[in-house]
Amino acid sequence: MQSGSACATNTGSAPSPLSPREWQQQQEDEGAISAHSARCDGVRKAIMMPLDGPFIGRTSWLLRQFRKQIWVRAAMFSLAAVATAVLAAIAEPLIPYDFNLTLAAGSVGNILDILASSMLAVTTFSLSVMVSAYSAAAANVTPRSTKLLLSDSVAQNTLATFIGSFLFSIVGIIGLAAGFYSDKGRIILFGATLAVLLIIAGTLLRWIEQLGKFGRVGDTIKRVEEATTAPAGQWGNRPRLGARPWTMIPYGASEVMCPDVGYVRHIDMAALAEIAADASVTIHIDVIAGSFVHAARPVAYVSPPAHDDCAARIAKCITIGADREYDQDPRFGLIVLSEIASRALSPAVNDPGTAIEVIGAGLRVMLAYGDARSEAQEPCFEGLHAHDLAARDLFDDFFNPIARDGAALVEVQMRLQFALEALARNDPALYEDCARSHAALALERAGKAGMFVHDLDRLKTRAAWAAAPPEE
């Protein structure tokens, strides 16, 4: 085995003493792994909800993507604010009591004037902060992470609240100037204004807390890790997204093509199963989320051969787009994490600490996938066959770029060997072969990158586990 030959010369060497920094890193890693099971409890609960997991339909998925757009929430808040200001004038006949709050009703105009002027300035400032955060993430982290910042609920709620408050105050000022509000209507408008002020105060406090981390490297790594852990757990709990294992394509099966060119963003497994049951056919899905397709590449095979209408229905169940999505594509999340590490390891940045943090995030994602695999459920779609998520692809996507770009840095290579050994020991059946192979490749890269002899000897000692015989 290649990994064994790469490390065989170090099997009998005695471990060298760890430096204080390496000892501290090892203690942090061991603590992170020991707490991993507790962190995965929430993931397991999430992946047990089929309608919110891999089985979400195409329409629901498109609606979810629509709701993630930053202008949608702002438009909804704005409409609600305008409706509130208008209802203050319409609802006054419904109040039978005559409130003697002349002072409060008279001051509502001044309050609305202050709101209108201040909310416009605060909205402009918040937009500039968000644009700066997006630009910083694209320049310092990776452009593939900006979509997670764009869909941040705190930022969207903040912008929507400020724009909605501005429109509420403008409509209220216009209504007061036009005489739309009676005395009771002014009291209602005053109460609504107080409620808006409370909402603004709470939003500002939350936004101030968010500004300290929004768009920073550590915050972006955490967002990518969370966005990757959920689909990884879903793939582990439902291998092949509920389809049966891949088998040889029957002779004479018809091909299903998609005319679009791009990445598979979503596969509606429930709709495909319904088509297979209605047409009494078996569908072999030859792509997974993240696959790049074009007009000449079959996305599925149907046996017995299906008519054109059936093939068109199958093609509509596979959503193609120019960009990849995190929802059903854990490989994409690992690629984004490796891009963050590669950017940090570039000569212009030279930040091995960020690469070490990324390795820890990728380790947690893969452990979550392995934990979910241990509780994998039986296939639930009898008429579908699909490919599984290959562990070797996960390793190639994540570890190869980091091992290449950090080949000459002993601290990165030591942490890389630790992560590979942790995966091999936590789930030998799933990860051990890939972990040993990548450990040997990383050690070989370090040797050819001109690493200092003393550092290389320490790394060989750390990587000796890959050459040792597997535990029985």
Side-chain angles (χ1 to χ4, degrees), residues 1 3 392 395 399 416-417 419-425 430-441 465-466:
M1 185 176 178
S3 59
R392 183 165 298 278
F395 276 70
F399 288 111
L416 197 66
Q417 292 291 339
L420 291 169
E421 183 182 9
L423 291 172
R425 295 188 184 279
L430 181 62
Y431 290 136
E432 185 170 14
D433 290 342
C434 293
R436 288 176 179 271
S437 175
H438 276 264
L441 290 174
W465 68 271

Side-chain angles (χ1 to χ4, degrees), residues 210-443:
Q210 183 79 350
L211 287 177
K213 58 183 180 180
F214 189 65
R216 303 297 189 268
V217 175
D219 177 62
T220 306
I221 293 174
K222 181 180 178 182
R223 292 175 186 271
V224 177
E225 178 186 347
E226 292 175 351
T228 310
T229 301
Q234 292 164 3
W235 266 92
N237 186 256
R238 287 287 191 181
R240 302 167 300 279
L241 300 182
R244 299 177 67 83
W246 182 264
T247 59
M248 183 178 295
I249 300 173
Y251 177 77
S254 59
E255 299 178 343
V256 178
M257 304 290 190
C258 284
D260 300 324
V261 178
Y263 295 97
V264 176
R265 308 180 74 188
H266 178 265
I267 301 176
D268 192 344
M269 302 297 290
L272 287 173
E274 183 178 353
I275 294 173
D278 292 344
S280 300
V281 297
T282 299
I283 303 175
H284 285 70
I285 308 169
D286 202 20
V287 294
I288 63 174
S291 300
F292 192 82
V293 300
H294 48 83
R297 177 183 177 179
V299 297
Y301 297 88
V302 184
S303 177
H307 51 78
D308 294 340
D309 292 342
C310 181
R313 290 176 59 194
I314 294 173
K316 288 182 179 180
C317 295
I318 302 175
T319 305
I320 311 296
D323 302 319
R324 299 175 73 168
E325 283 292 337
Y326 293 91
D327 296 334
Q328 287 185 347
D329 191 2
R331 289 184 59 187
F332 178 55
L334 291 174
I335 290 173
V336 174
L337 285 174
S338 69
E339 288 180 351
I340 297 174
S342 294
R343 181 71 62 89
L345 293 171
S346 64
V349 180
N350 192 22
D351 181 16
T354 295
I356 291 174
E357 185 178 353
V358 168
I359 293 173
L363 173 61
R364 288 188 290 269
V365 170
M366 291 192 178
L367 288 176
Y369 174 65
D371 288 348
R373 291 273 300 193
S374 65
E375 301 177 2
Q377 302 183 30
E378 294 296 325
C380 56
F381 298 129
E382 295 295 329
L384 304 182
H385 295 268
H387 298 285
D388 204 352
L389 193 64
R392 183 165 298 278
D393 291 337
L394 301 179
F395 276 70
D396 291 342
D397 292 336
F398 181 70
F399 288 111
N400 269 347
I402 301 175
R404 177 196 64 213
D405 297 327
L409 300 176
V410 64
E411 59 270 30
V412 175
Q413 291 294 329
M414 294 286 283
R415 184 59 63 93
L416 197 66
Q417 292 291 339
F418 175 88
L420 291 169
E421 183 182 9
L423 291 172
R425 295 188 184 279
N426 276 271
D427 198 336
L430 181 62
Y431 290 136
E432 185 170 14
D433 290 342
C434 293
R436 288 176 179 271
S437 175
H438 276 264
L441 290 174
L443 183 61

